[in-house]
Amino acid sequence: MATKGSKSQSSFHGYEFFGPPGALFIAIFLPLTCYAFLFLCNDVSGCPAPSLLHPTRLTLSKLAEEVNWPGISGLFDAKVFLAVLGYYAFSLLLFVVLPAQEIEGVQLANGNRLKYRMNAFSSSLLTLTILAAGTLAQGVNGSPVWTFIWDNYIQLLTSSVIISYSLATFVYIRSFSTPQRGAPNPLNRELAGGGTSGNMLYDWFIGRELNPRITLPFAGIIDIKAFMELRPGMLGWIILNLTFLARQYSNYGYITISMLITVLSQAIYVLDALYMESAILTTIDITTDGFGFMLAFGDLTWLPFVYSLQARYLAVHPVELGAAGIAGIFAVAGTGYFIFRSANNEKNRFRTNPADPAVAHLEYIQTKTGSRLLASGWWGRARHINYLGDWIMSWAYCLPTGLAGYVIQPSSPFRDHAPKGGHLIVDDYSLRGGVEVVPGDARGWGMVVTYFFMLYFAVLLVHRERRDEEKCKRKYGKDWEEYCRRVPSRILPGIY
């Protein structure tokens, strides 16, 4: 584990994600995946849509009916798009007007350091306080925010996709105005080593400029990548979860422990990241990756809409957890968070003050670049031990959905109680009246959706670890080889 960020390199260091074909596939497939989750796990027919469980009887017309397909034109709404832009503008306003710390980033290739304005935590607390006050004043069912988000969820996703594509295109085009070496460069603009392949599609996808910045009237200098990394998408994840919590209450008149665990555990994760905002300045996203479609879509669309799938599922199909289930999930979440936060705190303490009594005893390798590689403590167990904690926490997000899957069917007019394992909708203006939600034939099949995050996150972390390894090999050379010899495990001690 290196305790200093690396200098960016403008020379191209090779393709990732299988080059241009992989970039094209991801840029098309990931947005379609978001829509697939939205429609195929729905509040109209079930999760998954019933026809998917009987492929021999599957027709496009039947599937369109089951998912309530609105047509291409129904995917977008101008008023919703303007509302999303308003949300971004409000985030920007809080960024500008609220008190903030000014933190220097890692050294750039030109020897300078960028300064970052940090107030994401206070901005988010103020936003959530406003939402809470509105809900208290108007009631859960009367709050226009939760109703608007639920009723326009499809259009909100489309708006986010459009913003992601547009922002990636804007920063790509603007990257060609980056000053040449030796020319005046007041914003310290640099190209990213991974985004200068010369292939337009790949560079647009991976990010051509390292830290794109713009100067806005009344707002000053805005670092686009740092702003998008934690603010609109991360807070949007919490807001979507709260919308689904409100929807469960509207549907059933109560909130389940499974929903509370999901929403609270994910909120703690997000708020922790926002509170430790300055920690992003030493991450590969900031120090090495350019800002292109990969980060724009990942931060603004994929993160809020895919990471909130569990809460959306529970809004329609509440899951009751017994005492053992609750204790087990808390144990998993606590273990993951302990590893994640302890490891990162150890790294940050050592980086800022190696003489701190909490870390002064740790062994390290002094590299020729001037960085120190921690070789004991948490970072002596595995070279990316924090990823293990991150992944374990992801289990706790999925487990509250249980053996997921449900079917929505008409309820008997004579039924005055929920069917076994199912739920009656008691207060409904989005779901059809007189329906019940039961596991039925869908039991277990919904796990493809609700447990997707856990599998995806494992792949993401392994891929990120591989990228970290390649970067460190290039930077540290023989010193990294020695570090790998002393700390042979990558993520899971003794296994991987």
Side-chain angles (χ1 to χ4, degrees), residues 108-419:
L108 300 172
N110 63 11
N112 296 326
R113 296 175 185 267
L114 295 174
K115 292 182 179 180
Y116 295 84
R117 183 177 173 82
M118 300 285 181
N119 63 5
F121 184 69
S122 58
S123 298
S124 298
L125 288 185
L126 179 57
T127 303
L128 294 174
T129 299
I130 293 172
L131 292 173
T135 303
L136 287 174
Q138 299 170 305
V140 174
N141 294 332
S143 173
V145 174
W146 312 130
T147 304
F148 177 84
I149 294 174
W150 180 267
D151 290 346
N152 297 284
Y153 184 75
I154 297 171
Q155 295 77 20
L156 288 170
L157 171 59
T158 301
S159 299
S160 187
V161 170
I162 292 172
I163 290 172
S164 299
Y165 275 105
S166 301
L167 187 59
T169 302
F170 169 76
V171 295
Y172 174 75
I173 294 173
R174 191 171 180 275
S175 71
F176 289 93
S177 66
T178 302
Q180 297 293 322
R181 190 181 299 275
N185 190 5
L187 293 181
N188 289 307
R189 298 174 63 191
E190 291 187 352
L191 298 181
T196 54
S197 70
N199 181 281
M200 183 174 67
L201 172 63
Y202 181 80
D203 293 346
W204 167 84
F205 167 79
I206 205 73
R208 192 169 184 272
E209 188 170 352
L210 181 64
N211 297 110
R213 292 185 158 205
I214 55 175
T215 302
L216 297 178
F218 309 110
I221 297 174
I222 306 297
D223 189 293
I224 295 175
K225 181 164 66 170
F227 183 86
M228 300 301 173
E229 183 83 4
L230 289 180
R231 290 170 184 270
M234 290 285 274
L235 181 59
W237 179 10
I238 295 182
I239 293 174
L240 285 177
N241 277 352
L242 292 175
T243 298
F244 302 141
L245 182 148
R247 172 53 45 173
Q248 186 187 79
Y249 182 80
S250 296
N251 281 340
Y252 299 103
Y254 60 87
I255 298 172
T256 60
I257 295 296
S258 58
M259 175 66 87
L260 289 175
I261 290 176
T262 299
V263 173
L264 289 176
S265 62
Q266 294 182 2
I268 290 171
Y269 178 84
V270 171
L271 292 174
D272 175 78
L274 298 175
Y275 184 76
M276 304 294 294
E277 183 180 12
S278 61
I280 70 168
L281 299 183
T282 57
T283 64
I284 192 172
D285 285 0
I286 299 296
T287 65
T288 306
D289 290 339
F291 186 76
F293 179 80
M294 179 182 73
L295 285 181
F297 181 81
D299 292 341
L300 305 179
T301 303
W302 185 261
L303 187 151
F305 287 93
V306 172
Y307 288 23
S308 61
L309 284 173
Q310 296 81 25
R312 181 170 176 263
Y313 172 90
L314 292 171
V316 180
H317 185 224
V319 173
E320 303 290 350
L321 298 173
I326 295 171
I329 291 171
F330 274 121
V332 169
T335 299
Y337 183 77
F338 174 73
I339 296 172
F340 173 79
R341 181 47 56 207
S342 297
N344 282 329
N345 281 347
E346 185 179 79
K347 174 191 69 174
N348 290 330
R349 281 198 184 99
F350 189 80
R351 176 170 60 88
T352 56
N353 182 18
D356 187 322
V359 295
H361 65 284
L362 296 176
E363 299 176 7
Y364 60 88
I365 297 174
Q366 182 68 56
T367 70
K368 295 180 179 65
T369 65
S371 298
R372 297 173 177 179
L373 303 175
L374 280 175
S376 65
W378 281 107
W379 303 94
R381 294 180 173 91
R383 301 195 294 273
H384 308 276
I385 189 68
N386 56 328
Y387 290 172
L388 175 62
D390 226 356
W391 187 51
I392 292 175
M393 279 191 288
S394 75
W395 305 356
Y397 303 160
C398 304
L399 290 172
T401 63
L403 198 61
Y406 61 80
V407 176
I408 298 176
Q409 61 189 26
S411 62
S412 168
F414 305 105
R415 189 190 298 279
D416 61 358
H417 62 279

Side-chain angles (χ1 to χ4, degrees), residues 391 453-465:
W391 187 51
F453 176 74
M454 191 171 76
L455 176 61
Y456 153 77
F457 208 49
V459 174
L460 172 71
L461 292 175
V462 170
H463 177 263
R464 181 173 293 178
E465 169 264 319

Side-chain angles (χ1 to χ4, degrees), residues 39 42 93 154 158 160 162 303 396 427 471 475 479:
F39 285 111
N42 61 70
L93 175 65
I154 297 171
T158 301
S160 187
I162 292 172
L303 187 151
D427 181 16
K471 181 194 74 170
K475 180 180 180 182
D479 291 327

Side-chain angles (χ1 to χ4, degrees), residues 32 35-36 38-40 42-45 60-76 154-155 157-158:
L32 292 178
Y35 284 107
L38 186 159
F39 285 111
L40 300 182
N42 61 70
D43 62 346
V44 177
S45 60
L60 288 179
S61 60
K62 181 63 175 177
L63 185 61
E65 177 186 348
E66 291 178 349
V67 304
N68 197 28
W69 172 247
I72 296 297
S73 62
L75 298 178
F76 176 78
I154 297 171
Q155 295 77 20
L157 171 59
T158 301

